[in-house]
């Protein structure tokens, strides 16, 4: 039973345009969401996060939107650059629940930026 | 400041052998965790630790042991390697009060 779902295995976007990566979750106890970027043969790199008490968080070209009622979040990258080509993972946890630490990950979306 | 260091980077084991994957962080982070990544899959949590002397199981703990005797080190032990444990293993750490984990560069393990 996958608690974090990224339904698009890959996404191709032209350089300079907006990239939108989507993520859905089923566990209503999740209260913190993160996006990681991963290049081949490297570890994931933290990109941006959002708490469940917010609906938007921005950091430069990256914005994450959270829709709690729909249990959906999205990562917007604008403008997209060639160096953004990577696999993007959505991750979540319930930090206020007093339970397990660590993250639950989606399967990832491979973003390809076309020149 | 090296961050999270994992050794070895690559390892081939025979079925039934045991080994320890090393993980060390120099950031004085309280929280550490181990993940495995299989092709087409996201990272799955194996074990985690919320501080020295405290460990607990994640989503896929079977076949693995951990201990945390110091803040810096969090080794992962494979007791009797099986082909199903062929994977890329990532160690990660985070400080108290923030929720983003810093990951190591991974250990690629093949069990034949």
């Amino acid at each position: 039973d996958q608690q974090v779902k990224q339904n698009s295995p890959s996404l191709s976007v032209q350089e300079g345009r907006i990239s939108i990566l989507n993520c859905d979750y089923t566990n209503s106890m999740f209260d913190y969401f993160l996006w990681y970027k991963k290049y081949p043969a490297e570890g994931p790199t933290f990109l941006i996060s959002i708490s469940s008490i917010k609906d938007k968080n921005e950091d430069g070209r990256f914005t994450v939107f959270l829709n709690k009622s729909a249990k959906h979040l999205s990562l917007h990258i604008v403008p997209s650059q060639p160096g953004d080509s990577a696999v993007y993972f959505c991750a979540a946890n319930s930090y206020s629940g007093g339970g397990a630490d660590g993250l639950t990950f989606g399967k990832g979306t491979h973003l390809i930026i076309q020149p | 400041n090296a961050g999270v260091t994992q050794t070895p980077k690559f390892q081939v084991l025979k079925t039934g052998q045991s080994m320890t994957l090393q993980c060390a962080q120099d950031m004085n982070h309280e929280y550490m965790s181990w993940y495995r990544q299989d092709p087409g899959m996201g990272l799955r949590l194996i074990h985690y630790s919320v501080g020295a002397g405290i460990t607990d199981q994640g989503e896929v703990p079977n076949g693995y042991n951990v201990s945390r005797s110091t803040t810096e080190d969090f080794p992962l032990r494979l007791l009797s390697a099986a082909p199903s444990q062929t994977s890329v293993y990532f160690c990660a750490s985070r400080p108290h009060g923030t929720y983003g984990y810093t990951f190591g560069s991974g250990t690629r393990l093949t069990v034949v």
Side-chain angles (χ1 to χ4, degrees):
Chain A
D1 178 29
Q2 234 188 324
Q3 298 186 67
V4 177
K5 300 178 184 177
Q6 293 177 258
N7 292 320
S8 299
S10 66
L11 175 67
S12 184
V13 174
Q14 272 199 313
E15 182 180 355
R17 306 294 288 266
I18 184 170
S19 295
I20 300 175
L21 293 91
N22 294 303
C23 177
D24 297 293
Y25 62 97
T26 58
N27 188 341
S28 57
M29 296 299 292
F30 286 148
D31 56 16
Y32 207 82
F33 304 90
L34 307 93
W35 285 94
Y36 279 83
K37 176 180 180 179
K38 187 181 181 303
Y39 293 118
E42 295 184 10
T45 302
F46 171 72
L47 203 54
I48 193 170
S49 63
I50 189 167
S51 162
S52 60
I53 63 173
K54 295 186 175 181
D55 55 19
K56 179 182 174 181
N57 188 26
E58 283 183 87
D59 185 0
R61 295 187 298 114
F62 304 93
T63 303
V64 56
F65 295 92
L66 175 62
N67 182 334
K68 278 186 68 177
S69 60
K71 294 191 175 67
H72 176 83
L73 62 155
S74 60
L75 174 68
H76 292 211
I77 306 173
V78 55
S80 299
Q81 298 175 353
D84 296 331
S85 294
V87 177
Y88 289 78
F89 290 100
C90 175
N93 198 9
S94 169
Y95 286 109
S96 61
D101 200 76
L103 297 170
T104 300
F105 281 84
K107 291 186 177 182
T109 296
H110 186 193
L111 177 64
I112 302 160
I113 305 301
Q114 305 278 9
Chain B
N1 191 338
V4 178
T5 302
Q6 292 185 237
T7 55
K9 292 195 180 305
F10 302 94
Q11 183 71 49
V12 179
L13 283 181
K14 293 184 178 178
T15 298
Q17 286 185 318
S18 62
M19 81 158 292
T20 299
L21 279 62
Q22 301 291 345
C23 176
Q25 52 93 6
D26 60 0
M27 300 172 283
N28 203 32
H29 286 176
E30 283 184 69
Y31 299 85
M32 297 186 74
S33 51
W34 275 101
Y35 300 81
R36 60 177 287 174
Q37 185 189 15
D38 301 303
M41 302 286 289
L43 284 74
R44 291 183 292 168
L45 181 66
I46 305 172
H47 285 284
Y48 65 94
S49 170
V50 300
I54 307 169
T55 65
D56 208 342
Q57 297 181 351
E59 179 187 355
V60 288
N62 291 341
Y64 307 96
N65 265 0
V66 292
S67 59
R68 184 102 179 267
S69 56
T70 67
T71 299
E72 294 78 19
D73 300 299
F74 190 42
L76 179 73
R77 296 183 187 84
L78 279 71
L79 309 171
S80 177
S84 60
Q85 293 179 303
T86 293
S87 190
V88 181
Y89 292 84
F90 291 101
C91 178
S93 70
R94 72 172 179 93
H96 180 74
T98 72
Y99 301 123
Y101 271 89
T102 299
F103 281 80
S105 58
T107 294
R108 183 173 294 273
L109 176 69
T110 302
V111 182
V112 297

